[in-house]
Amino acid sequence: MASTVRNSGSGSEVRVRPQRPVMRKSLGVWGGVSIAASSTAATSSIGIGLGLMAGMVGLHLPALMLLAFLPILGIASGYGRLSRVEPDAGSSYTWVGRTLSPWLGFLSGWVNIVGTIVFMAYTTTVTGSAILQLLGQASLHSVGGLRLDPDSTVQATLLGLVVLVAAALVAVRGLELAAGLQKWLLIFEYVVLLGFCGYGLFAGDQPFSFDWFNPFAIPTFDGLAQGMVLAVFCYWGFESVFSVSEEVRDPRVASRSGFIALTVMLLLFLLGGTAFQRVMPLDELADNGAHGLAYFGEKLADQPLAALPLIALMFSAVASLQAAVIPTARGMYAMGRDGTLGPVWTRFHPRYPTPYAATLLVTGMAVALALLSLAISTVNDVIMAAVNAIGILVAFYYALTAIAAAVRFRHLLRTSPLEGLRAVVGPLLGAFALLAVGGYLAWWFYDSADHFELSADNGWFALLIPAVILASGLMAAAWARWVRKAPYFSPGFGTGPRSD
């Protein structure tokens, strides 16, 4: 329960946060980098996303990844500044609610959490598909008379769910164990990526062109808008380290980890995009879609070396599942702590200082959603529907967080112009860019169809997921405000000494 205190100066009463359980401050910079990098899942993005984006922007993947990095850099500046002055497990939920409006704050936290649960559910399919592809390359094509098919949504999802549950159980044990596991998975992934992509730069037979890095050469604005949202989605996840900012050894750790992870992602995406285009012509890039990395490996090497990119993709998917569980559970813990969700979300493990109930409940919801996704027939449809929906939602809550940073630190424009550029101007420019691209893409989806059908190619279906998430967020906020009477919505909630 929140407590009420009297302001001695004005005599008014304000609501303050309840006392928090103490989380173990165990995370250093490289542990934070492991979590942020695992959440962004560069190997999965390269292996799956590049082929999808090539179908929209042609041979301009490096230009698209450079262009998408600019607004994300501005957003990251806002996150970093907010995290330094107010480390909080709720991150955008807390900062937007405190600075702009509790309704917008709740909605920001809600779409972030639900969007991540959607991502977890669909990533189980990616994980399972990668495992099945790997088994096929090892000449294991059937088990007990059942033919193993990497394109079977049912098989891939059920196998991926086993991995998801295992990842959640490791997360319950604490950040040190989870970050340590992710570190070794990342080392393997990056060694494989650097080796194959570096070799592909020289071994590829497609002519290199500096035009690949020219965003003005992208053929259509529609393709640019769709590609930008997909590219932003590829960078999505760097902010997960800010959800564990109550568990880092120094408030600056989260900010440093996020920027290091983003820089590494940019370099990997540029390398991957250039190498893919050197090795594969446009039609091969677009046609292979979700199997792009496996096909890339087979073009460059014979077995068993050709299986290494697929193993890296599998490791990336496993690490991203675990990295998604951690910040989502902490976000829901923060909402439970503020009274906007029930007290069950605040339960801590008696042995490990982690919000174990939230971790297991989030995993359970992702499992349920993954089973529902079996209504969509192919792996590519599942991936496309999820990526399209989450990309719009990511643009929304990133923009809200950036605007909150700009509003909160606007005084720096007068007192410290250089800091004002980083904390106000950069985040605002990033927010406007993402809102423009996300808004245009939403309109394009709406205008591209004249009927609804359960297909990733149907614009109305693509809009359904973010629309349902936003509507459910408003209903949940209303319930928290008027039924739960959550102190989060009370004037002055969370007010206290702070240094901006």
Side-chain angles (χ1 to χ4, degrees):
M1 296 291 291
S3 59
T4 304
V5 298
R6 184 171 299 278
N7 187 313
S8 58
S10 63
S12 61
E13 293 182 344
V14 296
R15 306 297 294 273
V16 298
R17 287 185 182 275
Q19 186 176 2
R20 306 177 178 185
V22 177
M23 295 188 185
R24 181 183 299 158
K25 295 186 179 297
S26 60
L27 207 63
V29 170
W30 295 112
V33 170
S34 297
I35 289 177
S38 295
S39 294
T40 53
T43 307
S44 295
S45 297
I46 290 171
I48 298 169
L50 293 187
L52 301 176
M53 286 185 283
M56 300 170 183
V57 300
L59 296 176
H60 302 286
L61 294 175
L64 185 66
M65 301 314 297
L66 273 171
L67 198 60
F69 180 76
L70 297 178
I72 292 297
L73 184 62
I75 301 294
S77 295
Y79 267 94
R81 184 80 185 195
L82 286 164
S83 179
R84 286 199 299 272
V85 302
E86 188 177 13
D88 196 284
S91 59
S92 61
Y93 154 82
T94 298
W95 303 326
V96 173
R98 182 169 182 168
T99 305
L100 300 180
S101 157
W103 285 87
L104 289 177
F106 185 93
L107 205 56
S108 175
W110 182 267
V111 300
N112 185 1
I113 289 168
V114 177
T116 306
I117 291 174
V118 170
F119 167 78
M120 290 164 57
Y122 288 125
T123 303
T124 61
T125 306
V126 176
T127 307
S129 180
I131 295 174
L132 290 170
Q133 289 180 66
L134 190 61
L135 292 175
Q137 291 190 3
S139 299
L140 182 62
H141 300 289
S142 64
V143 174
L146 174 66
R147 178 179 172 272
L148 301 179
D149 180 9
D151 285 320
S152 168
T153 305
V154 174
Q155 292 182 25
T157 300
L158 294 179
L159 186 57
L161 288 178
V162 176
V163 177
L164 172 61
V165 172
L169 294 178
V170 172
V172 167
R173 295 286 301 273
L175 283 183
E176 284 181 286
L177 178 61
L181 173 62
Q182 289 167 5
K183 180 183 72 174
W184 291 110
L185 293 176
L186 283 171
I187 289 174
F188 178 85
E189 291 173 43
Y190 291 174
V191 168
V192 171
L193 275 180
L194 291 173
F196 272 79
C197 291
Y199 177 64
L201 290 179
F202 300 98
D205 57 4
Q206 301 300 307
F208 174 81
S209 173
F210 284 105
D211 205 40
W212 294 352
F213 295 83
N214 180 11
F216 297 103
I218 293 175
T220 67
F221 188 78
D222 286 347
L224 173 62
Q226 294 177 68
M228 274 289 287
V229 172
L230 288 176
V232 168
F233 173 75
C234 289
Y235 288 109
W236 177 46
F238 78 90
E239 80 284 0
S240 61
V241 70
F242 298 108
S243 296
V244 297
S245 57
E246 294 181 34
E247 299 162 83
V248 298
R249 297 176 189 143
D250 185 286
R252 295 168 292 184
V253 163
S255 179
R256 290 171 181 169
S257 299
F259 278 106
I260 291 172
L262 269 180
T263 302
V264 171
M265 294 307 102
L266 172 64
L267 297 176
L268 287 174
F269 290 145
L270 292 178
L271 175 63
T274 306
F276 269 45
Q277 293 182 181
R278 281 281 289 139
V279 172
M280 292 181 278
L282 180 58
D283 57 343
E284 290 186 12
L285 261 173
D287 289 347
N288 282 279
H291 305 302
L293 189 59
Y295 183 78
F296 179 74
E298 291 170 357
K299 292 268 289 187
L300 291 176
D302 296 324
Q303 297 294 353
L305 289 179
L308 289 177
L310 189 57
I311 297 174
L313 176 64
M314 180 183 68
F315 283 178
S316 176
V318 171
S320 67
L321 278 176
Q322 186 182 76
V325 169
I326 292 170
T328 309
R330 279 148 181 80
M332 300 196 85
Y333 157 75
M335 297 175 86
R337 185 174 63 190
D338 289 346
T340 55
L341 295 180
V344 65
W345 298 96
T346 64
R347 293 180 183 173
F348 264 53
H349 195 280
R351 180 177 177 185
Y352 311 108
T354 61
Y356 80 98
T359 302
L360 297 179
L361 287 169
V362 163
T363 303
M365 288 188 288
V367 169
L369 187 58
L371 294 176
L372 287 175
S373 75
L374 296 179
I376 304 175
S377 58
T378 67
V379 172
N380 276 336
D381 277 348
V382 172
I383 293 169
M384 281 298 294
V387 168
N388 287 345
I390 294 174
I392 294 173
L393 294 173
V394 169
F396 172 75
Y397 81 78
Y398 272 0
L400 280 180
T401 309
I403 292 170
V407 171
R408 184 156 174 178
F409 304 120
R410 62 190 183 277
H411 64 277
L412 292 176
L413 291 173
R414 299 188 306 272
T415 60
S416 179
L418 183 59
E419 287 296 314
L421 284 174
R422 289 198 289 254
V424 180
V425 178
L428 271 183
L429 291 176
F432 292 154
L434 293 189
L435 287 175
V437 172
Y440 179 85
L441 185 59
W443 168 254
W444 187 88
F445 281 141
Y446 174 78
D447 194 51
S448 66
D450 56 7
H451 68 285
F452 177 86
E453 63 180 270
L454 196 64
S455 168
D457 295 327
N458 183 268
W460 290 5
F461 174 66
L463 279 176
L464 178 64
I465 295 176
V468 168
I469 292 175
L470 287 171
S472 64
L474 289 173
M475 290 188 288
W479 182 271
R481 170 68 178 85
W482 286 298
V483 178
R484 289 190 180 278
K485 301 186 185 302
Y488 175 80
F489 289 90
S490 301
F493 177 67
T495 300
R498 69 190 192 193
S499 174
D500 290 354

